[in-house]
């Protein structure tokens, strides 16, 4: 027998109460783990955006195309380092339910604008030469078991061939990785020329432009210049930094996140009060026993530690179980959410933060009862009829 | 038995402040307790028996005067010192047994040993010895709720002696028991005093209980009113 055994015995003497307390904490950390993981996945898009990269989209909204002529015009502007353009292709592989992230791009400039995309030089050359070539992200290639040289048919629910077909054939020329682990490689790109020649509508339009400036300090100036140049034309533009763009894109989701955060915070607070009250009650019920322990010669600091240890243990049991459940939930939802939230993983920082909150919860709820136990006077406790 | 002094109270006073009033329980109390004594303290309710016992046990401190134990002045001890001193020197037996309800008999007895640095095996041996002495070794695994009052008090006695303290303090140890069970408990205390050399101070209302002691003192209005030695 040791102090831990005493803590355990104290903790489990009312199993139903222990269960309910742990369950409340479990739910709190289940929600906390799931929501923070979701939020961090949403935020990572913003964090990964380059500082000097601008997006030029149609002012109406980003799904409305722009004329290809803008590509040359923007390239010629002062302060612009590199420009590329892209079209959303979408599509699916074999099964309409297996939606893919596919874009038609200008290959050379695309790789210049996105240094995050890392390709073996030989594969890169092969892709640049091959009009029907596809450059596939490692994540996608792994998901479908694709290898270099594979011929893959990609069907579109937006575009069709001149002959009415919906399926395009591609050859995988290269598989790219990200320059950092966080960079999401769950997409693929192919030649704009191939896309252009086979589509029936869309003409010479591009979806959007992406450019890098000579220096982030020029961002504002360049963006202003672009939007001014095309103002009052049939295709007005809206230029923003990639960060701002990603942010705007997820803002709606973000607002929901804020609401969820509010709910979680309130739930947390409620649980704090409930658990704190339960702990205080549990210790008050044991006034007589604590007085006996002190009489036998258990020191006040030692009893303080035992009470605090109990509340910490309860917080950790409920909290870790909840976090584990959140992890399972996230892992289960990962595949389904991969398209929208590629970085849906419960990172070490989230786990560390959650454990920090558990310890905080344990401390806050245990501190007052522990302090009362510390100060408990033997004579008064016995006089109160505690024993 | 030699007349070696274990406890000495010199001019001890004790008062409580209740609101604006100061209630004096003792004023200038002198007392000597010798090693190997079995002392019964009697007196009317509210005369200060428990308060005196608490001061002897170091759970309460006098307002004035000196309390000497084995040449040490314990009324000057800080709380942490007193706590350690209690663990080493005193065994407590309460009226309502005060066992931990969530621990079985053996673990209740083991409790004071958590304050020593005995090995696991030594602790187990001590627990077994103490339980055997009170005749409850076969109940080691029983929970307090599964035992009678007399059995619980015997576990409490085992707990009080397991770390081999010099002094055992009992506050109404038989106050909650019937005559027959009370006699068993008192015989056990007598045995501890006679065969194991424990010094025992027992507070009681019951003259029959006091008759087991070697010596009885009567406390009234903060003074010892008469002393008698049991036949
Ligand atoms: N913490 C305290 N605060 C105020 N008064 C106290 C306190 N403890 C004891 N007293 C008072 O001191 C007096 C002596 O109390 P004590 O408990 O020592 O009596 P007792 O002789 O043990 O009585 P009983 O036989 O009823 O147990 C009582 O009048 C009691 O009300
Ligand atoms: Mg009393």
């Amino acid at each position: 027998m040791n102090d831990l055994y005493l803590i355990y015995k104290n903790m489990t003497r009312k199993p139903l109460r222990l269960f309910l307390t742990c369950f409340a904490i479990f739910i709190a950390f289940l929600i906390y783990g799931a929501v923070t993981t979701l939020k961090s996945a949403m935020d990572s898009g913003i964090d990964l955006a380059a500082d000097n990269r601008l997006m030029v989209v149609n002012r109406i909204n980003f799904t409305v195309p722009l004329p290809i002529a803008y590509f040359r015009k923007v390239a010629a502007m002062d302060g612009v380092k590199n420009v590329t353009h892209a079209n959303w292709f979408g599509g699916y592989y074999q099964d309409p339910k297996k939606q893919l992230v596919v874009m038609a791009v200008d290959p050379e400039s695309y790789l210049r604008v996105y240094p995050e995309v890392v390709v073996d030089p030989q594969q890169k050359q092969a892709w640049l030469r091959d009009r029907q070539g596809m450059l596939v992200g490692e994540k996608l290639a792994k998901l479908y078991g694709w290898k270099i040289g594979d011929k893959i048919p990609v069907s579109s629910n937006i575009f069709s061939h001149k002959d009415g077909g919906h399926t395009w054939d591609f050859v995988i020329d290269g598989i790219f990785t990200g320059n950092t682990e966080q960079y999401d490689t769950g997409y693929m790109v192919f030649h704009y020329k191939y896309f252009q020649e086979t589509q029936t509508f869309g003409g010479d339009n591009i979806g959007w432009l992406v450019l890098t400036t000579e220096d982030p300090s020029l961002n504002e100036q360049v963006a202003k210049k672009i939007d001014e140049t095309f103002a009052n034309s049939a295709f007005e533009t809206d230029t923003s930094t990639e960060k701002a763009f990603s942010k705007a894109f997820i803002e709606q989701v973000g607002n929901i996140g804020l609401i969820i955060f509010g709910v979680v915070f309130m739930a947390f607070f409620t649980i704090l009060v409930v658990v704190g009250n339960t702990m205080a009650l549990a210790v008050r019920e044991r006034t007589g026993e604590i007085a006996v322990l002190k009489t036998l010669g258990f020191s006040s600091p030692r009893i303080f530690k035992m009470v605090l240890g109990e509340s910490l243990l309860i917080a950790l049991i409920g909290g870790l179980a909840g976090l584990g459940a959140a992890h399972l939930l996230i892992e289960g939802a990962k595949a389904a959410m991969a398209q929208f939230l590629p970085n849906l993983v419960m990172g070490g920082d989230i786990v560390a933060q959650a454990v920090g909150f558990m310890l905080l919860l344990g401390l806050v709820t245990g501190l007052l009862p522990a302090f009362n136990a510390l100060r408990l006077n033997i004579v008064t406790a016995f006089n109160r009829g505690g024993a | 038995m030699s007349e070696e002094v274990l406890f000495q109270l010199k001019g001890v006073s004790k008062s409580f402040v209740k609101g604006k009033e100061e209630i004096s329980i003792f004023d200038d109390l002198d007392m000597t307790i010798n090693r190997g004594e079995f002392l019964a303290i009697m007196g009317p309710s509210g005369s200060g028996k428990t308060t005196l016992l608490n001061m002897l046990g170091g759970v309460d401190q006098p307002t004035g005067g000196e309390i000497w134990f084995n040449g040490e002045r314990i009324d000057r001890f800080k709380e942490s010192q007193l706590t350690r001193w209690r663990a080493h020197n005193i065994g407590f037996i309460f009226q309502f047994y005060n066992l931990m309800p969530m621990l079985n008999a053996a673990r209740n007895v083991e409790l004071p040993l958590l304050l020593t640095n005995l090995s696991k095996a030594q602790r187990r041996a001590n627990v077994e010895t103490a339980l055997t002495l009170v005749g409850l070794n076969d109940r080691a695994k029983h929970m307090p709720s599964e035992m009678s009052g007399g059995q619980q008090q015997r576990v409490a006695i085992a707990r009080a002696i397991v770390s081999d303290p010099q002094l055992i303090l009992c506050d109404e140890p038989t106050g909650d028991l019937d005559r027959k069970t009370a006699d068993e408990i008192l015989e056990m205390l007598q045995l501890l005093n006679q065969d194991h050399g424990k010094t025992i101070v027992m507070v009681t209302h019951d003259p029959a209980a006091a008759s087991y002691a070697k010596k009885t003192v009567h406390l009234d209005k903060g003074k010892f009113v008469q002393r008698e030695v049991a036949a």
Side-chain angles (χ1 to χ4, degrees):
Chain A
M1 187 165 72
N2 49 34
D3 286 10
L4 201 65
Y5 183 82
L6 288 180
I7 293 173
Y8 167 76
K9 277 292 175 186
N10 272 329
M11 193 174 85
T12 53
R13 63 164 79 188
K14 295 215 163 131
L16 182 65
R17 181 155 80 185
L18 175 68
F19 172 78
L20 289 175
T21 310
C22 282
F23 187 70
I25 300 170
F26 169 88
I27 293 293
F29 280 93
L30 171 64
I31 299 174
Y32 179 83
V35 170
T36 41
T37 305
L38 219 60
K39 177 130 174 31
S40 102
M42 295 190 306
D43 289 347
S44 69
I46 299 173
D47 291 343
L48 289 176
D51 284 335
N52 68 335
R53 220 151 41 200
L54 302 183
M55 303 269 301
V56 185
V57 298
N58 193 298
R59 209 176 142 183
I60 300 165
N61 72 46
F62 68 92
T63 62
V64 180
L66 296 169
I68 181 94
Y70 282 19
F71 176 52
R72 301 260 159 261
K73 283 182 188 167
V74 168
M77 286 179 187
D78 281 345
V80 174
K81 195 169 162 194
N82 286 304
V83 198
T84 190
H85 60 80
N87 289 70
W88 177 255
F89 183 75
Y92 57 87
Y93 174 63
Q94 291 173 340
D95 180 353
K97 270 181 263 167
K98 289 181 188 161
Q99 289 289 330
L100 298 169
V101 178
V102 190
M103 286 174 293
V105 301
D106 178 56
E108 269 177 88
S109 61
Y110 182 82
L111 291 178
R112 273 201 301 274
V113 169
Y114 286 99
E116 295 96 322
V117 174
V118 179
V119 209
D120 169 85
Q122 258 180 317
Q123 295 179 17
K124 177 178 161 183
Q125 287 312 316
W127 180 56
L128 291 178
R129 279 196 301 270
D130 180 7
R131 216 176 43 94
Q132 261 179 274
M134 185 68 94
L135 187 63
V136 181
E138 193 186 23
K139 190 169 152 187
L140 263 193
K142 270 195 186 137
L143 185 65
Y144 292 105
W146 292 333
K147 291 176 299 297
I148 305 237
D150 281 2
K151 286 192 169 52
I152 54 161
V154 177
S155 309
S156 172
N157 10 18
I158 311 171
F159 306 106
S160 51
H161 291 288
K162 288 180 177 107
D163 63 12
H166 290 279
T167 303
W168 273 259
D169 290 314
F170 295 98
V171 178
I172 297 178
D173 288 330
I175 293 174
F176 68 86
T177 55
N179 63 339
T180 62
E181 200 134 313
Q182 286 85 0
Y183 187 74
D184 178 41
T185 57
Y187 71 100
M188 52 194 191
V189 289
F190 68 98
H191 290 238
Y192 175 71
K193 285 205 172 74
Y194 182 42
F195 168 76
Q196 193 185 27
E197 285 170 23
T198 49
Q199 71 179 112
T200 50
F201 68 94
D204 279 344
N205 290 333
I206 54 172
W208 62 89
L209 289 169
V210 185
L211 61 100
T212 50
T213 55
E214 299 285 357
D215 190 271
S217 66
L218 299 171
N219 287 0
E220 214 168 308
Q221 191 185 322
V222 170
K224 207 171 154 199
K225 179 82 188 300
I226 295 170
D227 290 346
E228 272 171 12
T229 306
F230 303 121
N232 301 317
S233 75
F235 298 92
E236 296 196 327
T237 58
D238 181 12
T239 307
S240 57
T241 61
E242 195 174 68
K243 268 192 165 52
F245 184 80
S246 305
K247 214 170 156 184
F249 183 73
I250 63 153
E251 203 122 87
Q252 307 164 34
V253 197
N255 282 339
I256 297 169
L258 200 71
I259 294 169
I260 299 175
F261 245 66
V263 171
V264 171
F265 181 79
M266 287 196 300
F268 244 83
F269 191 75
T270 311
I271 284 160
L272 192 86
V273 172
V274 170
V275 176
N277 188 51
T278 308
M279 271 313 290
L281 199 74
V283 172
R284 205 169 323 134
E285 284 170 1
R286 288 181 221 148
T287 298
E289 288 167 33
I290 292 170
V292 171
L293 283 179
K294 283 195 174 186
T295 306
L296 294 183
F298 282 78
S299 73
S300 294
R302 188 165 176 171
I303 289 169
F304 179 85
K305 278 184 219 151
M306 288 198 320
V307 174
L308 209 55
E310 185 178 337
S311 71
L312 280 171
L313 205 60
I314 290 174
L316 280 176
I317 290 172
L320 288 176
L323 207 62
H327 178 71
L328 292 179
L329 201 72
I330 293 285
E331 287 300 305
K334 207 172 178 173
M337 306 277 275
Q339 249 185 299
F340 318 104
L341 291 170
N343 278 309
L344 196 62
V345 277
M346 188 182 285
D349 52 337
I350 293 179
V351 174
Q353 210 169 51
V355 172
F357 274 123
M358 288 170 211
L359 296 178
L360 194 70
L361 179 79
L363 280 179
V364 170
T365 53
L367 216 50
L368 191 71
F371 193 65
N372 285 340
L374 176 86
R375 295 207 330 177
L376 185 105
N377 179 281
I378 301 172
V379 179
T380 348
F382 282 137
N383 277 357
R384 240 195 290 172
Chain B
M1 201 101 20
S2 67
E3 291 287 279
E4 190 189 338
V5 174
L6 189 63
F7 254 118
Q8 189 152 36
L9 278 66
K10 294 181 186 167
V12 165
S13 62
K14 176 73 184 173
S15 54
F16 294 101
V17 181
K18 224 172 196 172
K20 279 182 194 151
E21 250 181 297
E22 193 174 312
I23 308 164
S24 175
I25 313 294
F26 303 114
D27 180 29
D28 199 19
L29 190 76
D30 293 316
M31 184 185 192
T32 302
I33 299 172
N34 291 326
R35 193 182 291 278
E37 211 165 278
F38 185 171
L39 179 72
I41 301 176
M42 295 190 73
S45 185
S47 56
K49 304 183 295 295
T50 298
T51 305
L52 177 61
L53 205 68
N54 283 343
M55 289 195 295
L56 293 177
V59 295
D60 204 352
Q61 280 178 301
T63 321
E66 299 171 10
I67 301 180
W68 294 82
F69 176 87
N70 253 353
E72 275 187 302
R73 215 184 135 175
I74 64 161
D75 61 289
R76 286 273 178 87
F77 280 5
K78 286 183 298 192
E79 196 207 299
S80 57
Q81 281 174 298
L82 271 178
T83 306
R84 222 170 315 126
W85 175 80
R86 279 201 302 275
H88 282 123
N89 298 294
I90 317 284
F92 288 91
I93 298 169
F94 310 86
Q95 179 175 358
F96 299 106
Y97 336 124
N98 283 339
L99 301 177
M100 298 290 138
M102 75 290 185
L103 299 179
N104 65 29
R107 293 202 191 278
N108 262 295
V109 174
E110 192 186 346
L111 218 44
L113 297 180
L114 294 187
L115 304 163
T116 66
N117 32 29
L118 293 182
S119 73
K120 229 176 175 174
Q122 283 172 308
R123 289 198 323 230
R124 199 171 315 128
N126 281 19
V127 169
E128 207 178 306
T129 308
L131 276 175
T132 309
L133 199 75
V134 298
L136 278 181
N137 205 19
D138 55 333
R139 302 287 171 124
K141 291 271 144 49
H142 286 224
M143 301 305 283
S145 58
E146 299 163 349
M147 289 184 281
S148 71
Q151 286 170 333
Q152 288 188 58
Q153 195 61 304
R154 282 197 273 164
V155 174
I157 292 173
R159 179 177 68 183
I161 59 171
V162 73
S163 50
D164 200 23
Q166 310 186 43
L167 180 69
I168 296 173
L169 299 177
C170 329
D171 196 350
E172 313 266 8
T174 56
D176 200 44
L177 301 172
D178 60 55
R179 184 75 265 151
K180 189 174 161 289
T181 317
D183 286 336
E184 281 169 23
I185 295 295
L186 290 160
E187 274 161 26
M188 206 163 276
L189 290 176
Q190 211 167 37
L191 181 97
L192 287 172
N193 174 249
Q194 284 168 3
D195 294 6
H196 298 267
K198 301 289 175 207
T199 308
I200 300 179
V201 178
M202 173 176 77
V203 163
T204 183
H205 271 123
D206 176 12
S211 69
Y212 284 84
K214 286 180 183 161
K215 184 175 157 187
T216 300
V217 291
H218 289 265
L219 202 59
D220 198 4
K221 301 192 178 79
K223 294 265 179 260
F224 293 115
V225 289
Q226 117 204 37
R227 286 154 201 260
E228 65 188 44
V229 179

